Amino acid sequence: MRTDRRSRLMTWLFLAPTMIGVGIFVVVPIVGSLLLAFFRWDIITSPRFVGLANFTELATDRTVGISFLNTAVFVAVAVLAQLCIAMLLAVLVQSKMPSWMRVFFRSTFFFPLVLSAASVSILMKYLFNESYGVINWALSLVGIPAVPWLTSPQWAMVVVIAVYVWQNFGFSFLLFVGGLSAIPGDVYEAGAIDGATGWRRFRHLTLPLVSPTVLVASVMAIITALQVFDQPYVLTRGGPGDSTRTVVMVIYESAFRQLEFGRASAIGLVLMLLIMLVTAAQFRLARRFVFYQ
Amino acid sequence: MVDRSTLTRRALLGAAGAAGVAGTVAAWPRLTGADIPGRGEDALTILILGTAQDAAGRQVIADAFMEEHPDIAVRIQSVQATDWGDFFAKILTMVASGTQPDIVYTATEGAQLFAERLALPLDDYLQRDAEEIRDYFEDVHPSLIEAFMYKGSLYQLPLDFNAANMYLNLDVLERNGLEMPGEDWSRDDFSELLRGMQGDATPYYWTNRLFGGIVPWLYVNDTSFLTEEKARGGEQFWSTFYPGEERSGGYLWTGSNATAEPVHESFEYLRSLVADGLAVRPEEGGGNTLVGLFASGRIGTTPAGGYWVQGLAEGGMRPEQYDVQFFPRWRSQRHQFGAAGYAVMKTTRKADQAWEWIKYTASKEAMQLAFPTPSTTPTRRSMVNDALYAGVGPEHWSRFYDTLDRFPTSGPIPAPPQQAAVETALIRNVSTALSGGAAGVERSLQNLDRDLRAVFAEEDS
């Protein structure tokens, strides 16, 4: 009996540092944000309780609506591109090649991920400058007129997605390389005997066996993409107009530019619920599409 | 060889606990923020927008002040921010966390936000020390003072300013056989000049923000995107320091004027410049590349203030390679300007000491320490002279200050207390207005009108 109590005490003692950390830095801010969503607060004056007003106003707020739409388009295109490119490159890197070359490609593809998103975006801003950017200069050599990459609503989102994917596919790539390495060689040998080569081998052997990794990669990619901020903020500041304004940008602008902390918290909570819903839907779908050995 | 059996689990836990306590004790100053330089000292804290190097640069003024006032310790603190809006947000965060400064160096963009919520009016001090401060007002143009009046009270003494003038690249003009325009040039002369350099350099490079963007073009067309009014009050101040001057109690921006016909006209003019390849889209402008592009003769014209002279000199541009001109005339030749000065926080417990700082920094001695190079235009007319621009300034550097004399109706950046929301709405809709066809201008101005109405309605509620 005494040993049980002692054991429980030790358990709590070991858990305490993590629980205190999570409590202070995760739970308290979430609860605070939840409460703040029901107030109007501009830092200077005292918070004023407004009930559900911050939420009901979101429904008619054009900027918020556009930002959710932009984020949805961004997530759909960026995540698909990120996963496809990562998978393609992972399969290529895992194919037969000298080991030094494999190490080189693995490092190269992962490298953009360790760079600061803001620094990369500043660099890309120069490259994509309409008048003096290297990209338009290169295009001009083959007779293509200057493209307003960052200043036209049609192109700006394309560039934001391209920069984001370039920087982030390395993480999915690394997961896929791990997943592909875990596939036993004898599976492919058996498949080869049955005539599975090329696309059929990928479709019927590789993809099912790596599907748990695809699930993890897609869940993480979607959660990260739903919170995109750095690239559109540095590249376009959400413009032209609202064409690249994302949900997290609106949260930032509401809180730290317009000092509407209640509104920002309300948008943040809606985004959190959206992320939870999407993730739950992914796990639900996974029951049908993910194959566990 | 250590006998492993002697290290019991209890001893290990004890050692870990002791290490934890020791670590906490050692890190206590960091955990509590007590190691932040100056924290806890009883010093007059002055906050500026900039880097630690900028703060170090102003230390010379602080040292001179402390020599004159040995009983007042001063600490200059810098806050890095991407623009004034970002800076104001950080100040408000400091206020919320109880670490607010006593004095903040702030620009026109935040003048009314500070006056409305954060700053202490200087009226009583000004009346008390009128004789001591009179020489400052005798040297400073009243338009600059009026920009820092709010509802009849003065909140800041502006120390530097910049009017939106037009910089012209003389190398580009010469390459294309063009003449430097005269002071009363018109909008059409400007268009003609741009056409003359098309194909050789980017004719007009500009930016999308409150200063130097669309607003100067609205002002010269005798309009603005906000309804501009003047507050009553301030009579005692004006009669004391500027006798005979007909001035108001400050600017009031009370609502949207975005759908007015002259506003549409100005937007359409700039849209046509972009569409005709005579101007870049405004989102391209600004940034660190501008000096290099202008200095290397790839930009023909761009709007900027006196602050650019030092930057161009450091960028390798010789004074004879460029010149500055007033903004071209349209319906008027009213110019836009922005200024900056110290504001005393109303939360300070050192208001008297803060006023001493304000008085000292407005003295000629302190301003000469603050502005040794033409990296901005000092508000004291007597300091804008040959000595400041010798060897670095353009031929007509005097136009930086003459702008205020020649065009006395020139006005400040339109920045009501809701500046952040107003600027966001403007930037957003300028970019859509200028990125498409003529129909887009109408649509964008309606959107701007709707956004601005929402901003002002929210304030009213």
Side-chain angles (χ1 to χ4, degrees):
Chain A
M1 197 68 162
R2 205 175 144 188
T3 315
D4 276 358
R5 195 181 301 161
R6 193 182 157 82
S7 160
R8 272 205 300 276
L9 183 71
M10 289 306 289
T11 306
W12 284 112
L13 264 177
F14 279 111
L15 284 174
T18 305
M19 290 181 73
I20 291 169
V22 170
I24 292 173
F25 297 110
V26 179
V27 178
V28 170
I30 287 176
V31 173
S33 175
L34 181 68
L35 292 174
L36 206 52
F38 298 95
F39 288 84
R40 284 228 203 286
W41 189 47
D42 64 358
I43 287 188
I44 306 164
T45 49
S46 303
R48 182 163 54 93
F49 182 74
V50 291
L52 292 170
N54 285 327
F55 292 97
T56 52
E57 282 167 18
L58 295 187
T60 54
D61 191 316
R62 185 173 148 272
T63 306
V64 172
I66 291 172
S67 71
F68 271 96
L69 192 66
N70 286 342
T71 307
V73 170
F74 176 86
V75 171
V77 180
V79 170
L80 193 65
Q82 180 181 332
L83 294 179
C84 289
I85 291 169
M87 179 62 84
L88 177 70
L89 293 175
V91 170
L92 289 175
V93 166
Q94 287 305 103
S95 63
K96 277 185 184 168
M97 66 168 68
S99 62
W100 66 266
M101 208 184 265
R102 184 170 293 137
V103 170
F104 170 77
F105 282 124
R106 279 183 188 175
S107 313
T108 305
F109 294 148
F110 187 71
F111 182 68
L113 197 67
V114 301
L115 300 174
S116 140
S119 309
V120 166
S121 302
I122 288 170
L123 180 73
M124 293 292 181
K125 202 173 171 176
Y126 286 118
L127 295 181
F128 282 101
N129 184 286
E130 183 182 351
S131 305
Y132 305 107
V134 173
I135 291 172
N136 274 350
W137 171 78
L139 291 176
S140 73
L141 297 179
V142 288
I144 298 174
V147 179
W149 296 111
L150 296 168
T151 54
S152 93
Q154 291 76 27
W155 282 108
M157 184 57 101
V158 173
V159 174
V160 169
I161 289 173
V163 172
Y164 178 88
V165 170
W166 177 80
Q167 193 169 16
N168 285 276
F169 83 87
F171 186 69
S172 307
F173 165 80
L174 213 64
L175 291 178
F176 291 149
V177 165
L180 291 170
S181 309
I183 299 175
D186 54 3
V187 174
Y188 287 130
E189 284 168 19
I193 292 164
D194 292 339
T197 54
W199 169 250
R200 288 180 65 196
R201 182 175 110 142
F202 176 77
R203 169 73 184 82
H204 296 291
L205 291 176
T206 307
L207 205 53
L209 290 170
V210 87
S211 59
T213 313
V214 173
L215 174 68
V216 172
S218 65
V219 166
M220 296 184 80
I222 288 176
I223 290 174
T224 311
L226 278 166
Q227 298 173 72
V228 65
F229 174 81
D230 309 43
Q231 289 86 359
Y233 185 74
V234 177
L235 285 166
T236 63
R237 291 276 167 136
D242 284 325
S243 59
T244 54
R245 202 172 303 278
T246 63
V247 178
V248 178
M249 278 187 72
V250 176
I251 293 173
Y252 168 78
E253 287 166 355
S254 299
F256 298 105
R257 304 289 293 201
Q258 290 149 22
L259 303 175
E260 295 176 6
F261 282 84
R263 178 175 184 260
S265 297
I267 303 170
L269 282 174
V270 172
L271 179 64
M272 191 180 83
L273 286 175
L274 182 71
I275 290 173
M276 287 166 69
L277 277 175
V278 170
T279 308
Q282 280 182 279
F283 278 104
R284 181 105 186 149
L285 280 171
R287 291 182 197 168
R288 289 177 58 191
F289 297 109
V290 176
F291 172 75
Y292 293 99
Q293 273 182 298
Chain B
M1 196 71 181
V2 177
D3 181 3
R4 288 184 185 186
S5 63
T6 59
L7 191 63
T8 63
R9 194 168 51 182
R10 182 172 295 178
L12 184 67
L13 280 172
V21 170
T24 307
V25 169
W28 191 251
R30 185 78 284 270
L31 290 170
T32 57
D35 61 342
I36 295 172
R39 174 72 61 89
E41 288 172 14
D42 189 30
L44 186 69
T45 310
I46 293 141
L47 195 73
I48 61 163
L49 167 64
T51 60
Q53 284 78 15
D54 294 322
R58 293 207 190 195
Q59 191 57 43
V60 63
I61 310 167
D63 292 342
F65 173 78
M66 287 187 282
E67 207 173 301
E68 201 164 292
H69 298 274
D71 53 325
I72 306 174
V74 168
R75 179 163 63 95
I76 310 270
Q77 193 181 349
S78 62
V79 163
Q80 290 197 55
T82 52
D83 53 28
W84 284 108
D86 195 23
F87 179 64
F88 303 145
K90 287 180 176 175
I91 292 168
L92 294 169
T93 313
M94 292 173 82
V95 172
S97 63
T99 57
Q100 65 270 32
D102 300 300
I103 298 171
V104 176
Y105 196 73
T106 182
T108 322
E109 283 90 334
Q112 296 205 351
L113 170 71
F114 271 72
E116 178 82 17
R117 295 176 166 190
L118 300 166
L120 199 68
L122 303 175
D123 304 338
D124 292 343
Y125 287 116
L126 285 165
Q127 289 305 320
R128 193 190 75 185
D129 295 343
E131 288 315 309
E132 223 178 313
I133 198 80
R134 188 175 298 281
D135 116 275
Y136 165 81
F137 290 111
E138 282 171 358
D139 208 8
V140 175
H141 197 281
S143 292
L144 299 170
I145 303 296
E146 194 177 18
F148 285 100
M149 275 214 149
Y150 186 61
K151 297 180 179 172
S153 290
L154 186 62
Y155 286 84
Q156 292 169 249
L157 301 185
L159 301 182
D160 73 301
F161 83 102
N162 288 285
N165 294 124
M166 190 68 76
Y167 276 67
L168 294 109
N169 193 315
L170 297 181
D171 287 346
V172 175
L173 262 59
E174 192 182 320
R175 280 205 307 264
N176 294 280
L178 300 165
E179 293 284 319
M180 177 74 187
E183 291 185 344
D184 65 341
W185 62 326
S186 67
R187 187 204 73 170
D188 293 338
D189 296 335
F190 176 70
S191 305
E192 198 56 39
L193 187 85
L194 299 189
R195 270 191 281 274
M197 60 181 78
Q198 194 171 20
D200 174 53
T202 299
Y204 183 56
Y205 202 81
W206 64 309
T207 187
N208 191 6
R209 60 180 181 200
L210 273 177
F211 179 80
I214 191 95
V215 179
W217 290 103
L218 295 171
Y219 278 18
V220 291
N221 200 18
D222 208 18
T223 190
S224 177
F225 68 103
L226 296 178
T227 310
E228 184 182 297
E229 294 171 17
K230 296 278 184 78
R232 284 153 51 143
E235 293 85 358
Q236 193 183 7
F237 170 84
W238 292 115
S239 63
T240 305
F241 295 108
Y242 293 90
E245 191 73 39
E246 293 286 323
R247 294 283 173 169
S248 70
Y251 288 83
L252 291 175
W253 292 282
T254 53
S256 169
N257 191 44
T259 52
E261 182 48 36
V263 174
H264 183 278
E265 198 178 17
S266 300
F267 270 72
E268 176 51 30
Y269 172 65
L270 288 160
R271 189 204 66 77
S272 69
L273 290 185
V274 173
D276 295 346
L278 297 174
V280 296
R281 293 174 199 242
E283 297 87 348
E284 269 196 64
N288 299 327
T289 51
L290 185 52
V291 167
L293 293 171
F294 192 78
S296 59
R298 280 181 283 175
I299 290 176
T301 64
T302 191
Y307 60 84
W308 219 30
V309 171
Q310 186 64 23
L312 287 177
E314 287 167 6
M317 202 164 195
R318 295 189 311 278
E320 63 272 19
Q321 286 182 285
Y322 73 100
D323 204 354
V324 65
Q325 185 51 280
F326 299 127
F327 233 70
R329 172 172 45 81
W330 197 338
R331 282 195 172 87
S332 78
Q333 212 166 351
R334 184 191 193 210
H335 277 59
Q336 178 198 32
F337 66 82
Y342 291 103
V344 181
M345 298 288 279
K346 62 181 167 194
T347 48
T348 183
R349 282 174 295 173
K350 301 185 181 83
D352 289 347
Q353 296 180 355
W355 169 242
E356 290 303 321
W357 171 264
I358 300 265
K359 262 194 309 184
Y360 178 74
T361 52
S363 69
K364 196 164 179 178
E365 175 201 344
M367 281 178 67
Q368 279 168 337
L369 288 173
F371 310 118
T373 57
S375 54
T376 184
T377 316
T379 52
R380 278 181 176 269
R381 187 193 306 268
S382 62
M383 286 175 60
V384 183
N385 53 26
D386 272 323
L388 184 65
Y389 293 99
V392 288
E395 184 184 351
H396 294 98
W397 53 261
S398 58
R399 284 177 183 144
F400 294 132
Y401 212 107
D402 287 350
T403 303
L404 301 173
D405 296 325
R406 286 282 302 273
F407 313 106
T409 60
S410 290
I413 294 163
Q418 315 90 321
Q419 176 265 346
V422 166
E423 186 172 24
T424 301
L426 181 73
I427 289 172
R428 172 193 299 156
N429 291 295
V430 163
S431 68
T432 52
L434 305 186
S435 64
V441 172
E442 183 66 33
R443 200 168 44 247
S444 298
L445 287 176
Q446 280 168 3
N447 288 342
L448 175 60
D449 184 62
R450 187 202 53 222
D451 291 348
L452 292 173
R453 281 177 194 282
V455 169
F456 285 97
E458 202 166 276
E459 191 66 14
D460 291 342
S461 69

